[in-house]
Structures are given as C-alpha cells and as structure tokens.
Amino acid sequence: MTQRTNFDKELDRLKLTLVEMAELVSANIKEGLSSFLKMDTEIAEANIKKDKLVNEYEQTIEKDCLRIIQREQPVAKDLRFITSVLKMVTDLERIGDHAADIAKMTIFMEKTHSSFFVNDIEEMTTVCQKMIKQAIEAFISTDKEIASAVIETDDIVDDLFESTKAKVAEAIRNKKVDADFALYLMMVAKYLERIGDHAVNIAEWVIYSITGERL
Amino acid sequence: MPNVIEIKNLTFKYKDKIALHNIDIAFPARQVTALIGPSGCGKSTLLRCLNRMNDLIEQTAISGEITYEGKDIYDRYYDVIELRTKIGMVFQKPNPFPMSIFDNVAYGPRCQGVKEKKKLQEIVKKALLDAALYEEVKDRLKESAMSLSGGQQQRLCIARAIAMNPQVILMDEPTSALDPIATAKIEELISDLKTSYTIIIVTHNMQQAARISDFTAFFLMGNLVEYGETDQIFSKPLQPKTEEYITGRFG
C-alpha cells in the first residue's frame, strides 16, 4: 500500500497533543473542585493559571490542523478526522474555562465558609471526568460504542444537577445555607453540568469522525 | 435530472485484456461527472467508448450497451459522424490544427457544409465567447493557433468542440499539461459550460474532481468501484477502496 508516512505521523502527533490537552483539562476540573471543597485560594489561583496552558494547547492544535489542511489537502476520513479535532479542541477549551470558573468561585467564596455541601457535586465531577476520558478513548480507538456511552452518561450528570438544585433549594427554604454560598454552589453545579454537555459534543464529533454522520 | 448517456453491462477488451468489466453507469444532463482512478483503470477507455473513438483501435471488442438519448450508439446503422458532433472531445494535450484561430473553430461547421461567411463568423464568435477566449483573441483571429499559449490552445480546442453545437463534451485530463492559472481558467470554464452542456471529465487531480464535478465515478482495474455525488464520495465514500485511493493510501 502506498504510504503517506509524513501525513500519518502528523495525524498521530495531532492525536497525541489532543490527548495531552484532554488530560490537562480533566485534571483541572478535579483541582478546581478540590480548591472549592478546601476553600484553598492557592490551589484555585494555580488552577486558573493552568487554564492558560489549556488555551495554548488549543492554539497549537488549531495551527497544526490548518497546516495539515494546507499541506496535505485531506479528504474523506482524513478530513473528517481533522474537522473533528478542530471542533473537539473548542469543547475542551470551554471545559478548561469552566474548570477555571469553578476555581474562581473558591476565590469569591473565600470569606463565605459553610458546613453545607451537596455530595452530588463531587459525584458530578467524577462522572464528568469519566465522560471526558471515555470520549478521548473513543477517539483514540475509533470506537463509536464508547462514544455513544458518553452521550448516554450525560443523563446521570443532568440528574445529579437536578438533585443538587433540589437540595440547595430545600436548604435555602430551611435557612440551613448562607445565601451567597448557595448561589456559588449552584454556579459550580451549573459549570459541571455544562462540562458534561461539552463532553457529549466531543463524543458526537468522535462519532462524526468515524461514521461521517452528525448526531 | 434526465440521463443523456446510459451504459449497461459494458465490457471492453483490447486483444485478450479486459479493460472494462460489466460497467453500469448513467450520466445526468447538464452536470459534470468526473471519472477518477489510477492509470490503467479503464477511465479513459470508457470516455473513448462514449463517442466511439475506440473504433479506431484495432483488435478491440465491445459488448453491452451504450445509449445516447435512448439510442444504441453501437448499432450498426448509427451515424458515427453525427455521434461525434453531438459528443465532442477535448484531449490531454491541446491539439489545435496548424491553421488560423478562426479556421480552427470554423473547421467543423465547414465540414458540415456551412459556407456562408457571416454564419461562420457568428458560430466562431459564439464558440470563442462560450470558451472564454474571445476577448483574448478577437483582434488576431487570422493568426496561427500555434501562437497561443497552452491554456489558450486548450480553450480553443474547447471552442472547436462547442462550434459543433454538441450536447456532451468529453474531456480527457484537459488541464494536466497546463499551469495553475490556465488550469483555473479551464475549471471556471467547465463550471460555466455545464449550464448548456453535459461534461464528462477524466482527471488524476483529486482536488480538481472535488472542485468541479457534481458526480464522481471511481474505477479500479476495469471495474466501477463507486459512483455517487461528488460531495459524498469525497467526504464519506462507501467503499474502502475508494477511501484508500482518494486519501492517497492506495496499492
């Protein structure tokens, strides 16, 4: 078979860089929440700085995609692959933004300590991280079944968000939570819910890359 | 859209070598269809079958059916001269006749018996306008066609085909000998021409096929592997062999 060695190497390199970016973004979500749970502004500030690294990854991957399009003029599965990477990188960058947003909540809330917490939020974080990991796994192994599973998992995140909302509302009614804290907590939950949506987008682009079908 | 040419179960042999195996394909009117595939896959052979250019090659055999406007063009009573008038051809290398620009375009109509000077002038002007060459040559129609650049010569050949008032224009790698600017002009011309003509083009340039054609047919070792809308072929081909070929991982 005729090989396009350099082209294939470029595509592999692109894949690797995207995996690195996804790992960084996933770690940032966990760290963002950790800063929030511990009300640790140092972790929060470090986390916000790491978001710049995420943005740099985005720009690097975009540049690589454009260079490959210009040089190799990809078609069919190659074009779908590069188009998907260009779209996925935007979702990863947004996820990174939301991880930093969660860390920013820590800084805003520094003086609003509260014993109230909803464990569902930790669960949301774990599920979101799993979704990102699986979406990237699906991308690497071109496995549309795994990608479909990511899309289904989003229901769990949505349910946890609804459950969090109900618990926070109940706490507000019973005056068991500080009003500011309740607001910030809901914002964190909303950021996580949005992260779940972006993970779904990534999974949908993986499916497009494999099948050419847009969900 | 109606089909101008329909091919059913076409097999073509050069001596003992089968060049085309049981081809079924139809070419829709006023659309550009690109025939792609590696060298020796049969795409040019197929193109030449469409106006019976292969009749000129000895020891060839053809079976199956090719109909043009519903009539079998290989019927023994079919008028081949009339066929080649209606289905014109432009080749890889521009091949103007060694005569003036005007006479090149007027050659076909004159052969058909058009003698009136004014009528010939009208035909030549319209053909040159349609081929997007008129503005460049209107002041030197009596000069030799050989004085034109390669790209101009190729457009002259297109004008020469158009002058016969064809319905279909076959193009066999019409830009492979041209520079990028001349190529772009021919490609634009093809897009303009399809409002009036059905165009079937053989090309080795994948990007060109993707840019200018509405339908694409991929041939391999004399077989039609896949035929479909160009957008589908270049974004989501159904056959693995097509994918391998168009993505350059073929062999």
Side-chain angles (χ1 to χ4, degrees):
Chain A
M1 181 179 285
T2 305
Q3 297 297 328
R4 294 182 74 178
T5 314
N6 287 335
F7 183 30
D8 288 334
K9 272 185 193 165
E10 290 258 38
L11 294 180
D12 284 344
R13 215 167 12 240
L14 196 60
K15 224 181 222 184
L16 197 67
T17 316
L18 192 86
V19 172
E20 284 173 11
M21 181 182 180
E23 281 171 356
L24 175 66
V25 160
S26 180
N28 281 4
I29 301 168
K30 196 171 182 185
E31 199 178 66
L33 190 80
S34 170
S35 76
F36 182 82
L37 293 178
K38 295 175 186 164
M39 279 301 134
D40 187 327
T41 51
E42 268 183 38
I43 298 178
E45 275 163 10
N47 186 268
I48 292 163
K49 275 183 191 156
K50 279 185 195 164
D51 188 44
K52 283 185 184 153
L53 201 54
V54 173
N55 296 345
E56 282 171 21
Y57 263 110
E58 184 194 28
Q59 287 183 8
T60 302
I61 291 171
E62 280 175 355
K63 266 189 211 160
D64 288 349
C65 286
L66 294 178
R67 195 189 61 246
I68 292 171
I69 291 169
Q70 184 193 358
R71 284 189 188 173
E72 305 289 349
Q73 302 181 338
V75 293
K77 64 178 179 184
D78 298 329
L79 184 58
R80 297 202 305 271
F81 176 90
I82 291 169
T83 307
S84 301
V85 168
L86 270 172
K87 299 294 284 187
M88 286 159 70
V89 86
T90 305
D91 281 300
L92 281 174
E93 191 272 335
R94 295 277 160 79
I95 292 174
D97 284 347
H98 291 324
D101 288 334
I102 293 170
K104 281 174 197 162
M105 292 297 108
T106 309
I107 295 168
F108 295 151
M109 283 173 52
E110 191 192 3
K111 290 168 190 160
T112 320
H113 284 272
S114 171
S115 56
F116 178 82
F117 189 68
V118 180
N119 288 331
D120 292 344
I121 288 181
E122 264 191 298
E123 177 70 12
M124 278 175 95
T125 308
T126 308
V127 177
C128 283
Q129 279 188 297
K130 191 181 156 202
M131 286 170 77
I132 296 165
K133 188 166 179 258
Q134 277 191 323
I136 297 301
E137 257 176 39
F139 179 62
I140 300 296
S141 54
T142 59
D143 188 330
K144 64 176 180 180
E145 303 302 324
I146 299 177
S148 299
V150 173
I151 296 167
E152 282 167 26
T153 308
D154 192 43
D155 287 346
I156 298 172
V157 178
D158 290 344
D159 289 346
L160 287 166
F161 176 73
E162 289 302 323
S163 158
T164 303
K165 199 166 76 179
K167 286 172 187 168
V168 171
E170 179 72 14
I172 291 170
R173 275 193 289 276
N174 296 332
K175 297 190 168 49
K176 284 186 178 169
V177 64
D178 173 80
D180 286 342
F181 186 83
L183 277 174
Y184 289 135
L185 200 61
M186 275 317 297
M187 285 174 78
V188 170
K190 189 62 191 170
Y191 289 134
L192 288 168
E193 190 267 335
R194 290 295 302 139
I195 286 172
D197 291 343
H198 286 297
V200 167
N201 289 349
I202 293 171
E204 287 177 352
W205 282 111
V206 171
I207 290 171
Y208 171 76
S209 176
I210 298 165
T211 66
E213 300 290 338
R214 279 292 285 136
L215 296 181
Chain B
M1 68 204 84
N3 295 319
V4 175
I5 296 173
E6 290 186 0
I7 298 177
K8 284 178 192 152
N9 204 23
L10 178 76
T11 294
F12 187 89
K13 286 183 194 171
Y14 292 108
K15 293 184 184 171
D16 296 332
K17 186 181 175 291
I18 298 178
L20 292 167
H21 298 261
N22 303 325
I23 305 295
D24 287 293
I25 190 171
F27 298 102
R30 294 180 180 179
Q31 300 285 308
V32 179
T33 302
L35 310 182
I36 62 167
S39 298
C41 71
K43 56 193 187 304
S44 291
T45 299
L46 181 77
L47 198 74
R48 287 198 304 271
C49 283
L50 301 180
N51 66 349
R52 292 185 52 175
M53 292 293 279
N54 289 324
D55 288 10
L56 308 171
I57 303 171
E58 287 179 9
Q59 291 184 296
T60 58
I62 189 165
S63 65
E65 189 181 71
I66 301 179
T67 55
Y68 166 62
E69 291 191 313
K71 288 181 186 160
D72 181 359
I73 65 167
Y74 281 86
D75 184 285
R76 59 195 295 199
Y77 297 112
Y78 201 97
D79 183 345
V80 181
I81 306 289
E82 173 69 11
L83 175 74
R84 292 186 189 141
T85 306
K86 289 295 168 196
I87 305 180
M89 194 159 191
V90 176
F91 299 88
Q92 183 173 358
K93 205 169 157 229
N95 55 351
F97 301 141
M99 51 180 76
S100 75
I101 294 166
F102 183 93
D103 287 345
N104 260 274
V105 184
Y107 189 88
R110 276 181 180 140
C111 287
Q112 278 190 315
V114 180
K115 290 200 171 73
E116 196 193 329
K117 198 176 172 187
K118 201 178 166 196
K119 179 75 182 162
L120 276 173
Q121 283 172 339
E122 276 174 22
I123 292 172
V124 170
K125 185 176 177 182
K126 186 186 177 300
L128 288 170
L129 279 169
D130 280 0
L133 187 61
Y134 184 71
E135 288 303 319
E136 293 165 51
V137 300
K138 64 183 177 187
D139 299 325
R140 49 177 175 140
L141 291 173
K142 288 183 182 169
E143 286 179 23
S144 167
M146 299 306 178
S147 67
L148 298 173
S149 71
Q152 287 172 328
Q153 286 185 8
Q154 193 61 305
R155 277 180 285 148
L156 181 70
C157 293
I158 293 172
R160 200 170 59 192
I162 290 171
M164 300 299 284
N165 194 25
Q167 199 175 356
V168 180
I169 304 174
L170 309 176
M171 297 184 172
D172 195 355
E173 298 186 52
T175 63
S176 62
L178 304 181
D179 70 20
I181 296 166
T183 297
K185 280 189 181 166
I186 299 278
E187 287 185 4
E188 272 187 28
L189 177 59
I190 289 169
S191 298
D192 293 341
L193 289 176
K194 79 169 185 179
T195 56
S196 309
Y197 308 95
T198 301
I199 294 167
I200 304 166
I201 179 171
V202 164
T203 179
H204 278 292
N205 182 333
M206 293 299 106
Q207 274 68 39
Q208 181 172 72
R211 270 195 302 272
I212 63 170
S213 70
D214 302 292
F215 294 88
T216 296
F218 170 56
F219 291 84
L220 185 61
M221 295 168 77
N223 294 298
L224 173 59
V225 175
E226 189 167 352
Y227 172 61
E229 288 188 16
T230 297
D231 285 348
Q232 176 255 312
I233 297 282
F234 282 93
S235 61
K236 197 183 145 199
L238 300 175
Q239 301 298 326
K241 287 285 177 200
T242 314
E243 180 113 49
E244 284 172 16
Y245 182 71
I246 64 172
T247 60
R249 296 181 184 82
F250 172 79

